[in-house]
Amino acid sequence: MSAKWEKQEGNTGLLTVEVAAEKVDEALDKAFKKVVKQINVPGFRKGKMPRQLFEKKFGVESLFQDALEFLVNENYPLAIDETGIEPVDQPEIDFEMEDLGKHKDFKFTAKVTVKPEVTLGDYKGLEVTKQDTTVTDEEIEQQLKEQQARLAELVVKEDGAVEEGDTAVIDFEGFQDGVAFEGGKGDNYSLEIGSGSFIPGFEEQLVGVKAGESKDVVVTFPEEYHAAELAGKEATFKVTVKEVKAKELPELDDDLASEIDAEVESLDQLRTKLKEKTVAEKESASETALRDDLVEKAAENATIDIPEAMVESEINRMLQEYDQSLQMQGMNLDLYYQFSGQDEAALRAQMKEDAQSRVRVALVLEAIAEAEKIEASEEDINAELEKMSEQFKMDAEQIKSVLGGTTVLEHDVKIRKTVEFLVENAKVTE
């Protein structure tokens, strides 16, 4: 096998692969062994039909499609290794079928989108300002109020009307042009007014309604709503408020402090502990923001023509991450689309800018690592494996097995060291 790479416009190029006749014959042999197992011919057990008789009956051409698949799957990766290119998308394979045959050399081409070249700009001596990590008494009091609110009890309001922050237990049914629509009905639904969990305008119209009263709530569905027949349309919900509940806050005292955190005995101890925790969180957030700021500036200073295929691949990863996050909350993407009124296309469009930024940052950090000859040493890898062993309660060999080796780990460590390099060489002001 021999291969030649010709760069074309942008990040694309043509990879020409020539396969020797003997390899073509091997591919035809493999194709025959595969195909012969799938046919029934009178007088022969399945898979036992002689090759000569097979070709006489069906023609050698009947093997070409499978042989071509073997040839491409085996030789395309070899051609990539030989030319040293880094594809970022599936290739467009082209060939002349009449060139394929017994005892003949075969040539195919692959139009390939490759990893783009990065022209680095300034990345040393970047100026950044560290975030303020001061923690005020007001912040701690706000946290205490939030904790107090989380422990509030819902108490039925006997004669009161719905107010912002109350929870209304409702029956509802939606109608569009006087006809009830699917998925628009619910019974004994607990809706917190002001939570924004229903269609915009729905919750606000329940303010002032008392238990036992009914009201027609008129809303307009968002233009991007997932159900096309309702998108942008006006609908009327017939709503009956069955019960109204208000939050009753507990007393903010030493007893509540112990309920919030069993390790403290007083409200003052809780305040002290919250302040220490908040300081640590702000310090950590400040360090993260500093790194993010430096990486973003280095990325902005670079010049890259990012292939759309890399952006789409990153969006796919982001969707998968988001789906996993939703599943941890007892949801999934399908349910999210229903509740949010979005569809996959809208979510992908929403993620695109962030995906482009992620790809740009990844490419720039890799380019800086290469320019500065930053590597992950064996000591670095072992230290990372040891840390992961403690975190996941697995030995190093198990972790390597799960990761399929240390390649991913090596890359991650190298990128982390590259970010540290940016920090060490930055001009940081407080």
Side-chain angles (χ1 to χ4, degrees):
M1 188 279 304
S2 63
K4 181 176 70 172
W5 169 250
E6 295 177 77
K7 195 174 185 310
Q8 297 179 327
E9 186 178 357
N11 298 301
T12 63
L14 196 66
L15 182 64
T16 303
V17 184
E18 295 186 6
V19 185
E22 62 187 61
K23 294 296 181 182
V24 174
D25 290 343
E26 287 178 13
L28 287 167
D29 290 343
K30 289 180 183 177
F32 170 71
K33 290 175 183 176
K34 175 185 174 182
V35 173
V36 76
K37 294 176 182 177
Q38 301 169 356
I39 60 173
N40 289 308
V41 180
F44 295 97
R45 283 183 296 137
K46 205 168 189 179
K48 296 299 182 181
M49 185 179 189
R51 174 76 174 271
Q52 187 175 5
L53 186 58
F54 173 89
E55 291 187 8
K56 184 176 181 181
K57 183 175 180 62
F58 299 104
V60 69
E61 296 79 12
S62 63
L63 302 174
F64 284 179
Q65 195 60 49
D66 288 298
L68 180 66
E69 187 177 330
F70 286 124
L71 286 169
V72 172
N73 289 345
E74 290 176 9
N75 291 282
Y76 175 67
L78 295 174
I80 289 172
D81 290 341
E82 183 174 311
T83 55
I85 62 173
E86 295 184 68
V88 295
D89 196 12
Q90 292 298 315
E92 295 178 21
I93 304 294
D94 194 20
F95 56 90
E96 297 294 336
M97 188 61 86
E98 56 265 27
D99 291 345
L100 185 59
K102 282 183 174 182
H103 317 313
K104 291 172 61 178
D105 293 343
F106 179 68
K107 179 174 73 174
F108 68 89
T109 61
K111 186 177 181 181
V112 186
T113 301
V114 295
K115 187 175 176 180
E117 295 179 3
V118 178
T119 303
L120 291 170
D122 291 337
Y123 59 88
K124 294 180 185 177
L126 296 175
E127 296 181 4
V128 288
T129 302
K130 192 173 183 180
Q131 288 182 353
D132 182 15
T133 58
T134 303
V135 177
T136 65
D137 291 341
E138 288 76 16
E139 288 177 83
I140 300 305
E141 292 308 311
Q142 181 59 36
Q143 288 187 43
L144 286 171
K145 287 179 181 178
E146 290 171 1
Q147 296 275 18
Q148 183 186 28
R150 274 195 283 270
L151 293 171
E153 294 183 2
L154 287 176
V155 178
V156 175
K157 295 168 69 173
E158 297 298 343
D159 299 314
V162 174
E163 297 179 59
E164 186 81 6
D166 286 349
T167 294
V169 180
I170 61 174
D171 291 344
F172 62 90
E173 185 169 16
F175 296 84
Q176 207 269 314
D177 292 335
V179 179
F181 54 83
E182 187 178 349
K185 186 176 182 179
D187 294 322
N188 296 315
Y189 188 93
S190 292
L191 175 63
E192 182 180 344
I193 307 304
S195 64
S197 53
F198 267 36
I199 296 166
F202 187 103
E203 295 167 25
E204 295 88 333
Q205 294 180 56
L206 293 181
V207 172
V209 181
K210 294 183 178 181
E213 294 181 347
S214 297
K215 181 171 183 176
D216 285 354
V217 173
V218 180
V219 296
T220 300
F221 282 93
E223 291 290 344
E224 68 279 7
Y225 196 67
H226 69 276
E229 67 275 10
L230 295 174
K233 301 287 181 62
E234 185 179 275
T236 299
F237 284 85
K238 295 188 179 297
V239 183
T240 298
V241 176
K242 302 176 76 173
E243 201 171 45
V244 182
K245 298 177 182 179
K247 289 180 180 177
E248 188 174 273
L249 295 175
E251 191 71 27
L252 191 57
D253 54 17
D254 291 347
D255 289 337
L256 185 66
S258 295
E259 188 176 347
I260 292 171
D261 187 337
E263 295 181 358
V264 303
E265 297 178 354
S266 69
L267 193 55
D268 285 341
Q269 284 183 8
L270 180 58
R271 285 192 176 98
T272 300
K273 190 170 182 179
L274 282 175
K275 189 162 189 175
E276 290 172 352
K277 180 184 176 186
T278 305
V279 167
E281 288 174 347
K282 280 200 170 187
E283 288 287 350
S284 177
S286 176
E287 289 298 321
T288 300
L290 180 70
R291 283 163 169 71
D292 290 347
D293 197 10
L294 284 169
V295 168
E296 188 177 332
K297 286 187 175 183
E300 286 175 355
N301 292 340
T303 303
I304 323 170
D305 178 17
I306 301 174
E308 190 63 24
M310 292 188 76
V311 177
E312 289 301 313
S313 293
E314 186 60 34
I315 292 174
N316 290 339
R317 275 191 289 272
M318 290 170 70
L319 277 173
Q320 188 176 22
E321 289 170 5
Y322 192 47
D323 191 26
Q324 290 170 349
S325 173
L326 288 172
Q327 287 179 35
M328 291 175 68
Q329 302 171 50
M331 289 185 67
N332 57 39
L333 277 174
D334 289 336
L335 282 173
Y336 170 80
Y337 294 141
Q338 291 180 42
F339 285 120
S340 68
Q342 284 186 315
D343 57 14
E344 183 178 335
L347 187 56
R348 292 181 74 90
Q350 184 179 311
M351 290 178 166
K352 186 165 186 176
E353 186 176 346
D354 191 22
Q356 288 172 327
S357 177
R358 285 193 187 191
V359 172
R360 170 176 283 273
V361 163
L363 290 169
V364 169
L365 289 176
E366 287 175 4
I368 293 172
E370 184 176 351
E372 297 295 332
K373 296 180 172 53
I374 298 171
E375 298 291 344
S377 67
E378 186 175 347
E379 186 179 349
D380 293 329
I381 300 298
N382 290 336
E384 189 67 17
L385 283 169
E386 186 177 340
K387 187 167 68 175
M388 292 177 72
S389 293
E390 293 176 7
Q391 181 181 355
F392 299 110
K393 309 302 179 188
M394 299 167 63
D395 63 43
E397 290 306 315
Q398 285 177 304
I399 292 172
K400 285 193 282 187
S401 177
V402 170
L403 295 175
T406 60
T407 303
V408 173
L409 201 58
E410 183 178 351
H411 176 269
D412 290 347
V413 171
K414 183 165 70 172
I415 295 304
R416 189 164 63 246
K417 289 178 71 174
T418 304
V419 175
E420 290 300 328
F421 172 86
L422 293 179
V423 175
E424 290 165 6
N425 288 273
K427 296 177 181 177
V428 182
T429 55
E430 298 289 337

